[in-house]
Amino acid sequence: MATNHLLEIKQYGQSIWIDNLTRDMIQSGELQDLVENQGISGITSNPAIFEKAIAGNVIYDADIEAGVRAGLPIDKIYESLVFADIRNACDLLRPVYEASNRVDGYVSIEVPPTIAHDTEATITEARRYFQEIGRENLMIKIPGTKPGLPAVEQVIAEGMNVNITLLFSVESYVNTAKAYIRGLEKRVAEGKDISRIASVASFFLSRIDSNIDSKIDAKLKKGVDDIAVEAKLRAVKGKVAIANAKVAYQEYQKIIESEPWKALAAKGATVQRLLWASTSTKDPNYRDVMYVEELIGLDTVNTVPPSTIKACADHCNVGERLETGVEEAYTLIENLKDPDINIDLDTVMDELLSEGIDKFIQPFQSLMNSLEEKIKVLSPV
């Protein structure tokens, strides 16, 4: 029997979650097989995933029709579909949650992307989602925008599990970690237990390389007279996302060695793990599992789309590389400032955050439009 390399990754302290959820996966037994036999120990979802899952899929029609008969508005019909899938996935992963002592076994659901810049609306929806779904191993996804971080702090203080998403810059990750710590400290000050709260910080990868590579390609297309300059530009291609992640992990290590964190850990707090997201390789010239292989390390998560799960199970070269080449990673990031390269990483990260929110708003609205059309078809005349 061929080796499933996904199973080897756990030996290095990294969890593999799947970045996908559909009702078909749940009902067919595919998800159960992934959990029981393929080493998958968590699930992340987002509006784009649910748009693909629900639009044009007859498996949801009976529930949509029931919502129509009950006179529910579109947003409540949407929630009835998604909440049911999330609950069932949480139940399926409950044994993992218990066996891992609440380290794994989580299912993430995102608050509506349309409220990414509204702190109070995010807190309100997080509370409602957590209460209505009613599962201990639920994680609420909140975008790591400036208005999102106070929401993270408050939601943590109220005892909810949180997945902070759409993190691109190292600074945004550090700010996220500080929000987690402040939330826990607030809870401690209120005399409440902090040992049952989990959080991950979702650090995005492939979109960084896609953005920077396109800028480099544009420079190369204009023509570069100096061979040394061309070599500098080509040396950066496809390397920034992994280097950026390695730098972020160094910041994680500083955080868990800090006195504020040690004080919380003494009271039972669990570390906020870095989660590598956007891990499918967009450029066919790159190795299809590079965002998995190069970032295996202790106390991390990699959330992987189905195609990359299959590829990694088949041919991942597994080893602990997250703390190798760290100096080179710092150097590469610094080299972006070289006048011959001249890429402003802060500007790139701001662009990616803005685009990321739009990329979730668009499928969310598209799904609502699809539901509206389906409701018209299924509504009694």
Side-chain angles (χ1 to χ4, degrees):
M1 186 178 289
T3 301
N4 178 351
H5 297 292
L6 286 169
L7 299 174
E8 298 172 357
I9 292 174
K10 192 171 184 179
Q11 299 169 22
Y12 296 92
Q14 183 175 84
S15 301
I16 298 294
W17 295 1
I18 185 169
D19 192 30
N20 192 41
L21 180 62
T22 69
R23 190 164 294 186
D24 303 79
M25 288 173 63
I26 297 169
Q27 293 187 357
S28 68
E30 178 189 355
L31 183 57
Q32 188 159 0
D33 177 67
L34 285 166
V35 172
E36 292 182 355
N37 303 312
Q38 306 296 316
I40 301 304
S41 59
I43 299 170
T44 51
S45 68
N46 61 49
I49 284 171
F50 281 120
E51 196 266 341
K52 288 177 186 173
I54 296 171
N57 192 337
V58 297
I59 199 169
Y60 292 93
D61 283 3
D63 284 351
I64 294 171
E65 199 167 355
V68 171
R69 287 198 305 271
L72 298 179
I74 292 172
D75 60 329
K76 292 301 178 186
I77 291 176
Y78 160 77
E79 287 180 3
S80 72
L81 306 177
V82 170
F83 286 10
D85 286 356
I86 294 288
R87 284 189 199 101
N88 287 332
C90 282
D91 292 345
L92 194 151
L93 277 158
R94 181 73 189 219
V96 175
Y97 175 73
E98 292 175 349
S100 67
N101 195 27
R102 302 186 301 279
V103 171
D104 281 313
Y106 294 95
V107 181
S108 294
I109 182 173
E110 189 157 347
V111 294
T114 49
I115 60 171
H117 296 291
D118 188 330
T119 302
E120 289 307 316
T122 297
I123 293 169
T124 298
E125 288 299 87
R127 285 175 184 146
R128 188 171 66 82
Y129 276 33
F130 205 74
Q131 185 173 8
E132 290 189 18
I133 293 171
R135 297 294 188 273
E136 280 182 37
N137 54 330
L138 176 71
M139 269 191 175
I140 304 295
K141 285 178 85 172
I142 296 175
T145 57
K146 284 183 181 178
L149 294 184
V152 168
E153 181 179 335
Q154 182 59 33
V155 167
I156 290 291
E158 293 183 19
M160 295 173 237
N161 307 311
V162 183
N163 176 342
I164 302 90
T165 188
L166 288 174
L167 301 175
F168 295 96
S169 72
V170 174
E171 182 185 13
S172 68
Y173 159 63
V174 171
N175 289 337
T176 290
K178 288 177 179 177
Y180 178 55
I181 288 171
R182 287 194 302 271
L184 292 175
E185 287 174 339
K186 189 182 291 186
R187 194 167 171 82
V188 167
E190 294 170 354
K192 295 176 180 174
D193 178 37
I194 58 171
S195 67
R196 301 182 70 85
I197 301 169
S199 180
V200 293
S202 291
F203 205 70
F204 280 52
L205 300 171
S206 64
R207 295 184 195 180
I208 295 173
D209 282 337
S210 295
N211 183 297
I212 289 176
D213 284 5
S214 69
K215 288 177 168 59
I216 292 169
D217 288 339
K219 291 173 186 287
L220 292 169
K221 193 174 181 181
K222 285 181 182 177
V224 180
D225 296 331
D226 191 324
I227 294 174
V229 172
E230 181 178 342
K232 281 183 185 179
L233 289 167
R234 293 193 183 280
V236 170
K237 281 195 67 176
K239 300 287 196 305
V240 176
I242 288 169
N244 196 50
K246 288 186 175 186
V247 171
Y249 189 70
Q250 293 302 303
E251 292 300 319
Y252 160 80
Q253 291 186 315
K254 292 175 190 174
I255 289 161
I256 62 171
E257 289 300 319
S258 69
E259 291 308 315
W261 175 254
K262 287 179 178 178
L264 291 168
K267 292 180 168 59
T270 57
V271 294
Q272 181 190 58
R273 292 185 291 174
L274 269 161
L275 178 149
W276 313 125
S278 183
T279 53
S280 61
T281 306
K282 306 294 190 290
D283 189 327
N285 295 311
Y286 299 152
R287 185 163 167 79
D288 59 355
V289 290
M290 72 178 195
Y291 296 116
V292 181
E293 289 177 337
E294 296 302 320
L295 294 173
I296 297 170
L298 184 65
D299 289 334
T300 58
V301 180
N302 199 320
T303 186
V304 188
S307 59
T308 309
I309 282 176
K310 289 178 183 175
C312 188
D314 178 66
H315 56 260
C316 255
N317 179 5
V318 176
E320 190 167 6
R321 299 186 184 89
L322 187 50
E323 293 191 82
T324 62
V326 172
E327 280 189 34
E328 292 87 343
Y330 279 103
T331 300
L332 188 144
I333 297 298
E334 188 64 25
N335 285 347
L336 295 175
K337 299 173 185 174
D338 184 317
D340 292 331
I341 300 173
N342 192 29
I343 290 176
D344 186 332
L345 194 56
D346 291 337
T347 300
V348 168
M349 299 313 189
D350 289 343
E351 286 174 5
L352 289 168
L353 178 57
S354 179
E355 288 170 8
I357 293 166
D358 288 343
K359 282 180 180 178
F360 286 158
I361 289 175
Q362 289 163 6
F364 181 75
Q365 291 176 335
S366 174
L367 176 54
M368 290 302 173
N369 293 337
S370 297
L371 279 175
E372 191 169 14
E373 291 303 312
K374 191 168 270 197
I375 287 165
K376 286 176 184 175
V377 173
L378 295 173
S379 294
V381 179

